[in-house]
Amino acid sequence: MYQVYLRKDKLSKSILVLLVFMLLAPLNLMAQNQAIKGVVKDSKTNEPLIGCSVLVKGTSTGTITDLNGEFSLNASGKSTLVFSFVGYNEKVVAVEGQTNLTILMVENSEMLEEVVVVGYGVQKKSDITGSVTSISKERLSDLPVTNVLQAIQGAAAGITVTQTSSVPGDAPSVLVRGQNSINANSGPYIVVDGIPISKSGGTLNDISPNDIASMEILKDASAVAIYGTNGANGVILITTKRGTSGKPVIRYSGYAGVEGYAHMLTPRNGDEYIEKFKWYKQQRGESQDSPVPNYGELDNYNNGNETDWIDAVSQTGIIQDHNLSISGGAEKIKYYVSADYTNEKGILKGYQYKRFGLRSNIDANVTDFLTIGTSLYLTNHNKDGGRVNLLVASAMSPYGQMYNADGSYKIYPMEPEQLFATPFLNYGNDVERRSFNVNANGYAEVKFGGIFKGLKYKLNVGYTFIPTRTSKYAGRSANDQLGTASIYNSETNSYTIENIVTYSKDFGKSHFDFTGLYSAQERKFNESTAGAQGFVNDALSFNNLGSGATQTSKSYADKYNALSQMGRLNYSYDSKYLATVTVRRDGSSVFGKDSSKYGVFPSVALGWNIYNEGFMKKFEWLDNLKIRASYGKSGNEAISLYQSITKLSNNRLPFSGISTIGLSADNLGNAGLNWETTTGGNIGIDFGIFKNRIMGTIDVYKSNTTDILLKRSLPTITGYENVYNNMGETSNHGIEVTLNTHNIKSKDFNWRSTIIFAANKNKLVDLYGDKQDDLGNRWFIGHPISVIYDYVMEGIWQVGEDVSKQDPTAKAGDIKFADLNGDHVITAEDKKILGQTAPKWTGGLTNTFTYKEWSLNIFLQTAQGMLKNNPDYSYADEAGRRNTPKEVGYWTSENKSQTRPSLAYTNTRGYGYANDASYLRIKDVTLSYNFRPEMISKLGLENLTAYVSGRNLYTFTDWVGWDPEAKHDTRGSGSWEDNYPVVRSFVFGVNITLK
Amino acid sequence: MKKLYIALTALTLTVASCSDSYLDETPYSSYTSDAITDQLGINASIVGIQNSFSNIYTKSDRQGWLSVWQVGTDVASAGGYESIEVPYYNYEKLTASDLGASSIWSLCYKVINNTNILIDNLEQNELPSVTTENKNKALGEAKFFRAYCYNMLATLFGDIPLQEHAVSSAKTDYTRTPIAQVNEFIVNDLAFGSQNLPDIDDVASNSGGKMYSRANKYMAMQLLGEVYIRMNEGAKAEAVLKQIISSNKFSLTKARYGKDIAKDGDYYHDMFIYGNQRRGQGNKETIWTFELENPSSVTGGYTGAPQHRRVWGAAYHNVKGMVLCDSLGGRGLGRLRLSSWLTKSLYKDGDIRNSKYNIHRDFYYNDPANANFGKKIPFQGADTLYWICPSTTKWYCFDEKDTYGWSSIKDWQMMRFGETYLLLAEAQLLQSHLDDAAASINELRKRAFVNYPLQGQVSASDITLDFILDERARELIGEENRRMTLMRTKTLVNRAKLNHDQKYPITGLSDTHLLLPIPLSEIQLNKDGVLDQNPGYTN
């Protein structure tokens, strides 16, 4: 949403500022010799415009209007004056000897009305025909987030944001209107200032949330169709702040605060640990000759020393962010320059994230027909540091020994147990994780005149350079007796070139807007890793790989290209009847040489502003009513490169002591690969009633995705595990509701609410053309794409129960699975679909209370109806060898648990322990105070807001574990070494604008 | 007009950059099979085949993988087990979803696809720069590995889908080819190899010397002998095995040799010391040694993470007062332990294969800081079961730079001349030539018993299949895939009865388990064809 407020409104509220201007006004008068005087007024209201810029054309002489809208300056009688004011059309007036001028400025209607960025242009909100969600301003400021997506979780209907990792600097994942694709990327296409960041190698982590002016999400087929093969998963458009004419605005926004565990999954203490081991031995049928599993724990056990390992690996997290921006501009040139610094010290030792960013957005009217501009930014990320391991810390025996006699960390605290080394194993490692994003975008726009009036040509060019480096060294302290070092470097170079032609024309009450596009995109990527092993000692770290005994190196390079053409026609009649027609043609290099590499994606959308009809005037309580309908086609090409080509992988094997290169089959390519197509329709209604006290948007949609880029599992008889094919069909339908209400409206106290609700139903329609399930891949026709298919746990087998009729091989303490097919044994046929892994619905509720200068904002966020396998329930054969969380119980013959198996249970059936992962979070609470001008004026401030904010304050959930949303991998799988708890943060922040 | 020119110029510049080839895709960093056109490419393909073959033995995501092939038989029981091997002694848990069965299935078919890619290339393309002789050598190597894997699959699963050529697009209509046809295919491949592979000392060389771990013709012959026996073709087996013997290229090790000759030990043990295992290192008994190198000195020294030492070695380091050392074979986990039958009643007195150098039985506290230093560790408590259990020293290895030893860096004894006599005896037994069989066994006995013939000599009346299986255990413990041997001879059920170990006893074993279940995932993914399940298995 891009709303321009009028400076005069703001100032008129403040008597103090008036006084200041009164003081300034005589100064202006005093400076003149041969005065040209005048007054500037609004053409409609006839009210004086305060602070309007007046410039003598071709000179640097100028002034601004005073409190009465009056100005005076020195100029020759033949000069020309240029008047400019935010929200008004520029006015050029020849003096022609006059000494007292009255200037009437005309409001710029396009800017006054809410405009929405729609891709390759902007549109008045009232003219929008597709389903476009704008993120509210409140979610874009005063929140301790390092990535803007963290701020919009639950705040925009139809956008599912999941923060699976809270590691400082990790980005959340986003899904728009459910999952279309199975194997291809399902994340939305992200465009920043007109240039896609999605395929450039950059991420939203590169954009400081403070620099974001607006954020729009295109959801329905018509809105996304203009992005063709990149549109099917939705499009996020981000516009950064730009300068406006007028005096410079210097603004500082900053916050700092502390972080801690949002939820602690407490391990067992000493007594509970001893008790568990006793049961473990008993349940395994083994005699117990020691109270603790390992002799390395005996000393501490005998001396009664317990260690809180979680506490030992934790620290108080500190997060801070500082953003300084200067924006402003003169008649012909406008600028926005900002610097941003973020520093997050994680709550686990060794985790940290630093980001430094610079941005420079400049627009210049070079001539009356040519405008050029740039958006330049540079972002530097730093995630250095050897890290502790949370999973290992939670597995440590409370009687484990942390230190050696010399004070160094003991490698195996539970000697001789070597499955779990100390959680500090990698803490002392030298690690540097760096990346940069150097981004240079520029445009040139030519306005044509004469018979070509209304025609514009815009050349939009974006270039991105992203170098990254990860350097690592692990030595003796990490139990690497050789010393191992590696340096990874990568470089991504990408460019986008867009030629955009727009033409607008009015015929009577009809208004036409045409947009044409021809664009090309390229991304080149290369990476290399150099490694060495066998160092004399640890002194040189990774700084001299040549001093290692064995050297390894590898590298990789690839290239991606795309070509696009697009045309869009917007038509409106009398602001009542609206239509949009678009066609896009896209070609992409990722498709097979035996296919056409091109796809064509048309769409159409219609809108009816019923409110503007004469017959609606009698409904006085109604302030807005619009109906929208759209239908269209978009595509998805988001598979990794070279899937259409059968390749060999290179490997090595030694012969007679000589390392020798080998080539073996890598992947099975499919030369016929092509895009997947999503066809969908959307019907929406926008309304406002009771003087807009209640405003809302409701959308219902349905989309079908066909020719899915399916990574189809193959029988391994083929020698391959899978191949990409265009096959199958999925569908999504759902409803999205956004309601903004102004519950209490009074002079001093106001209560506003925003309610977001979105439900999506995802379904596999077909896979291989025969409507048959694919059990091997766990894909079931008529069910969501991602489901949990597993046994049904009925309880636990108790001592003395007869297992023979249900699961003849079960023992007491084993999980009792339902014998669904009644054949008196538990086989794979007793599995069924237990539920889906995507939430059935998501929602958010924002309540904002303002009392005078105080404002309290409470934001709740929820995701409901999803199942997730619980890694903290599944320790396989490790349950007796490690400590486990207090909350995760175990069966004994005494407690007769019906929920947890015995410690001897080895889970040979691979049961996943699916649990309901629904949750409701008190996500953000922000209390802010906006200082009254008279309080801060002496400090030279125009605006000062101070706030305290708390994030992830409480979570309501039945989930047993660290967090229902966060991903915690089991030992040895995925990114288990970076398991990280969800953090709760409290920050204090200020926003300052200098006068 | 000026404006128009600017616009047109910009437009032209940007459009001109986009030619037809703009969307062409070239993998910059990968070879494709079209690129294999000369001897260098062929050599690399063969290395690639061996690389994928080695994955069968180096799978380490499930550390109990190697135990699958030993526990639940006569020779071994579970010790510090992982979990993949549990259904291989609690046989009632062996179902079509079993991970052990699906793993060996996939690993073998991956090798087969790699061999097919090279074989198709050699048989279907011109390759003008490659001589016919070299072409046939390469075909022989590829076909040897193809046959090796098909033989494993046929032994373990019975009828199996026969994929004779490389797969170039999705295929999901497989059926099980009758085993007779599979056997014929294997025999053809091996017969080709026997004729076209080089003699053992004629293998190609590199800067390190002769590459003895590349395929030679005796490898094909030994495997062909085993395949004929499985096919009940005793005479054919005998004939091909005798070619190995009559080549005079191999001899049973009967005298000490190699790097540890000055240390305590015996000549049988010398063959299983890393550094002595290869033909180039003085081992004249080996027909095929699969070579591994320490990656800290040779890049790409092995694939995966070989678990042999951890599976076969005792976990003595768990005992307080014990530290890891080379003489006890580094860090074992005792994932399996030799059965009491093997350690207590199999060997006769005077058998070198049961010497303390070859089967380690007694452990003594070796931490000088411990009060009991030097004293013998008593068997007590359940854990000593695999902490200080007797173990074969064939997989002992120790890397002082990496005592934790995630991988065991030691060559694999794949085929040994000693086994040639065992196979020969079996072939002769099939023809009821018991005297010949006894003579074959006695060749091994002469080496195994210093006091032969006072000790160790056998006669025709001793020869039964059980006797030969006993002798295979004595000779090949730690080397042979015991499960495959017992499945090949259909003796698994009876032989397993010899194993009376009380801890983790064998349960649920029946004739069903003479074949493994066809992996359920394969049946399900093969949606356009029917892969029947083996009898007795439920999905």
Side-chain angles (χ1 to χ4, degrees), chain B residues 253-325:
Chain B
T253 301
K254 291 177 180 168
R256 297 214 50 192
Y257 76 98
K259 60 187 282 225
D260 286 355
I261 196 161
K263 293 185 186 166
D264 283 353
D266 58 39
Y267 52 81
Y268 186 84
H269 182 59
D270 283 340
M271 286 193 289
F272 299 98
I273 294 168
Y274 185 58
N276 286 358
Q277 295 177 277
R278 306 172 188 173
R279 187 172 174 90
Q281 293 165 339
N283 185 356
K284 295 294 181 243
E285 185 167 336
T286 186
I287 296 173
W288 180 18
T289 303
F290 200 100
E291 298 172 359
L292 279 74
E293 303 286 347
N294 193 324
S296 71
S297 52
V298 178
T299 310
Y302 53 79
T303 66
Q307 296 290 299
H308 300 74
R309 183 197 65 249
R310 293 159 59 116
V311 165
W312 289 92
Y316 62 88
H317 61 275
N318 285 311
V319 179
K320 186 160 192 173
M322 292 298 287
V323 293
L324 294 170
C325 67

Side-chain angles (χ1 to χ4, degrees), chain A residues 355-655:
Chain A
R355 175 173 66 194
F356 180 70
L358 278 175
R359 170 172 288 276
S360 163
N361 290 351
I362 294 170
D363 303 282
N365 299 326
V366 182
T367 66
D368 56 354
F369 62 86
L370 177 66
T371 309
I372 62 167
T374 59
S375 308
L376 307 174
Y377 63 92
L378 168 72
T379 311
N380 173 3
H381 305 270
N382 172 327
K383 297 184 194 174
D384 291 358
R387 296 165 168 179
V388 296
N389 185 318
L390 178 66
L391 185 148
V392 173
S394 68
M396 284 289 117
S397 160
Y399 298 116
Q401 287 184 4
M402 191 177 298
Y403 298 108
N404 293 311
D406 64 2
S408 59
Y409 288 113
K410 195 170 167 63
I411 301 290
Y412 297 112
M414 308 183 303
E415 209 166 9
E417 177 59 83
Q418 296 200 342
L419 193 59
F420 295 99
T422 172
F424 294 97
L425 189 67
N426 296 319
Y427 183 47
N429 291 355
D430 262 356
V431 186
E432 289 187 359
R433 303 177 188 90
R434 304 285 174 90
S435 69
F436 302 83
N437 186 339
V438 182
N439 205 294
N441 302 336
Y443 71 87
E445 188 176 69
V446 181
K447 278 185 214 158
F448 293 82
I451 55 161
F452 295 115
K453 193 169 168 8
L455 179 68
K456 283 193 235 174
Y457 164 73
K458 185 175 182 182
L459 174 67
N460 206 13
V461 179
Y463 171 74
T464 308
F465 174 56
I466 301 179
T468 75
R469 174 173 63 82
T470 304
S471 304
K472 290 182 181 174
Y473 181 80
R476 278 75 182 173
S477 69
N479 199 30
D480 185 334
Q481 301 309 315
L482 295 166
T484 304
S486 69
I487 299 177
Y488 167 86
N489 275 291
S490 78
E491 242 180 48
T492 311
N493 279 281
S494 52
Y495 68 76
T496 303
I497 299 173
E498 295 175 336
N499 298 281
I500 304 168
V501 176
T502 53
Y503 182 67
S504 47
K505 185 86 182 161
D506 291 299
F507 296 101
K509 287 182 173 178
S510 292
H511 175 77
F512 290 92
D513 265 317
F514 172 79
T515 308
L517 167 82
Y518 187 93
S519 81
Q521 234 180 313
E522 176 170 298
R523 182 189 63 229
K524 274 184 173 165
F525 173 78
N526 70 72
E527 65 180 3
S528 60
T529 309
Q533 195 177 44
F535 291 87
V536 176
N537 58 41
D538 298 341
L540 300 185
S541 184
F542 47 70
N543 295 306
N544 185 351
L545 295 182
S547 69
T550 48
Q551 306 285 320
T552 54
S553 64
K554 60 179 179 183
S555 68
Y556 171 81
D558 64 30
K559 183 164 85 81
Y560 162 84
N561 287 94
L563 277 181
S564 310
Q565 297 112 46
M566 187 275 289
R568 173 177 60 198
L569 183 66
N570 286 327
Y571 170 78
S572 72
Y573 180 81
D574 199 18
S575 291
K576 287 178 192 162
Y577 312 109
L578 316 163
T580 304
V581 179
T582 65
V583 180
R584 174 146 177 161
R585 178 170 181 267
D586 265 341
S588 166
S589 65
V590 302
F591 297 127
K593 62 177 167 50
D594 295 353
S595 76
S596 154
K597 291 194 175 222
Y598 287 91
V600 177
F601 305 95
S603 82
V604 61
L606 303 170
W608 182 21
N609 270 319
I610 307 176
Y611 177 72
N612 291 347
E613 297 285 359
F615 59 80
M616 295 301 286
K617 295 290 178 232
K618 60 185 174 208
F619 301 106
E620 286 186 353
W621 49 272
L622 191 71
D623 304 296
N624 181 26
L625 184 63
K626 181 165 103 180
I627 296 174
R628 297 174 275 109
S630 68
Y631 186 78
K633 199 164 131 176
S634 56
N636 188 1
E637 49 134 43
I639 53 170
S640 51
L641 303 182
Y642 308 138
Q643 295 303 319
S644 66
I645 299 169
T646 299
K647 300 186 297 296
L648 301 175
S649 65
N650 54 286
N651 44 48
R652 286 169 181 268
L653 215 59
F655 291 85

Side-chain angles (χ1 to χ4, degrees), chain A residues 281 284-287 289 293 295 299 369 412 416-419 446-449 457 459 479 481-482 495 497 499 518 520-522 524 533 549-552 555-559 561-563 587-591 597-598 641-648 650-665 668-669 712-721 723 725 768 770 772 774-778 809 811 827-829 877 881 904 906 908, chain B residues 2-4 6-7 10-11 14-15 18-19 22-33 36 41 43-45 47-51 54 81-83 86-87 92-93 97 105-106 109-110 113-114 117 161 163 167-172 174 206-214 278 290-293 295-303 317-322 324 331 380-383 387 401 404 503-504 520 522 524-528 531 538-539:
Chain A
K281 296 300 274 186
R284 294 257 294 196
E286 295 168 358
S287 61
D289 42 20
Y295 63 71
D299 279 353
F369 62 86
Y412 297 112
E417 177 59 83
Q418 296 200 342
L419 193 59
V446 181
K447 278 185 214 158
F448 293 82
Y457 164 73
L459 174 67
N479 199 30
Q481 301 309 315
L482 295 166
Y495 68 76
I497 299 173
N499 298 281
Y518 187 93
Q521 234 180 313
E522 176 170 298
K524 274 184 173 165
Q533 195 177 44
T550 48
Q551 306 285 320
T552 54
S555 68
Y556 171 81
D558 64 30
K559 183 164 85 81
N561 287 94
L563 277 181
S588 166
S589 65
V590 302
F591 297 127
K597 291 194 175 222
Y598 287 91
L641 303 182
Y642 308 138
Q643 295 303 319
S644 66
I645 299 169
T646 299
K647 300 186 297 296
L648 301 175
N650 54 286
N651 44 48
R652 286 169 181 268
L653 215 59
F655 291 85
S656 320
I658 307 297
S659 185
T660 313
I661 291 294
L663 294 173
S664 48
L668 182 59
R712 170 189 189 179
S713 288
L714 292 174
T716 54
I717 306 165
T718 56
Y720 299 100
E721 273 155 19
V723 65
N725 266 113
Y768 309 118
D770 52 8
Q772 294 296 304
D774 181 337
L775 215 55
N777 277 313
R778 302 282 180 266
T809 64
K811 302 185 298 293
T827 65
E829 273 152 33
D877 62 342
R881 299 173 66 178
T906 52
T908 49
Chain B
K2 191 175 73 179
K3 309 162 200 174
L4 204 59
I6 295 171
L11 199 66
T14 52
V15 175
C18 309
S19 62
Y22 191 69
L23 298 181
D24 286 354
E25 199 177 33
T26 315
Y28 291 149
S29 302
S30 300
Y31 296 100
T32 58
S33 57
I36 311 291
N43 289 346
S45 298
V47 174
I49 289 168
Q50 290 225 21
N51 182 290
S54 72
Y81 63 84
E82 184 244 327
S83 70
V86 171
E92 68 280 0
K93 292 183 176 164
S97 315
W105 175 279
S106 303
Y109 275 112
K110 275 193 180 159
N113 183 50
N114 276 306
I117 289 173
Q163 177 68 46
V167 170
S168 59
S169 62
K171 181 167 163 63
T172 52
Y174 287 98
N206 64 11
S207 59
K210 284 183 180 167
M211 294 192 280
Y212 282 116
S213 58
R214 291 280 292 269
R278 306 172 188 173
F290 200 100
E291 298 172 359
L292 279 74
E293 303 286 347
S296 71
S297 52
V298 178
T299 310
Y302 53 79
T303 66
H317 61 275
N318 285 311
V319 179
K320 186 160 192 173
M322 292 298 287
L324 294 170
R331 185 169 175 275
Q380 60 179 25
D383 295 331
W387 287 0
K401 297 261 179 59
Y404 179 76
K503 188 66 195 171
Y504 309 134
L520 180 62
E522 295 288 285
Q524 290 170 343
L525 288 170
N526 186 53
K527 51 185 304 307
D528 302 315
L531 294 173
T538 53
N539 284 340

Side-chain angles (χ1 to χ4, degrees), chain B residues 31-96:
Chain B
Y31 296 100
T32 58
S33 57
D34 323 346
I36 311 291
T37 55
D38 58 7
Q39 192 62 42
L40 285 172
I42 291 169
N43 289 346
S45 298
I46 288 169
V47 174
I49 289 168
Q50 290 225 21
N51 182 290
S52 83
F53 176 78
S54 72
N55 289 328
I56 296 175
Y57 303 91
T58 60
K59 177 183 165 66
S60 52
D61 56 338
R62 301 305 295 264
Q63 297 182 29
W65 168 244
L66 294 174
S67 282
V68 164
W69 309 107
Q70 309 292 340
V71 300
T73 69
D74 47 0
V75 299
S77 301
Y81 63 84
E82 184 244 327
S83 70
I84 190 174
E85 67 272 48
V86 171
Y88 288 86
Y89 58 94
N90 294 149
Y91 284 94
E92 68 280 0
K93 292 183 176 164
L94 185 55
T95 68

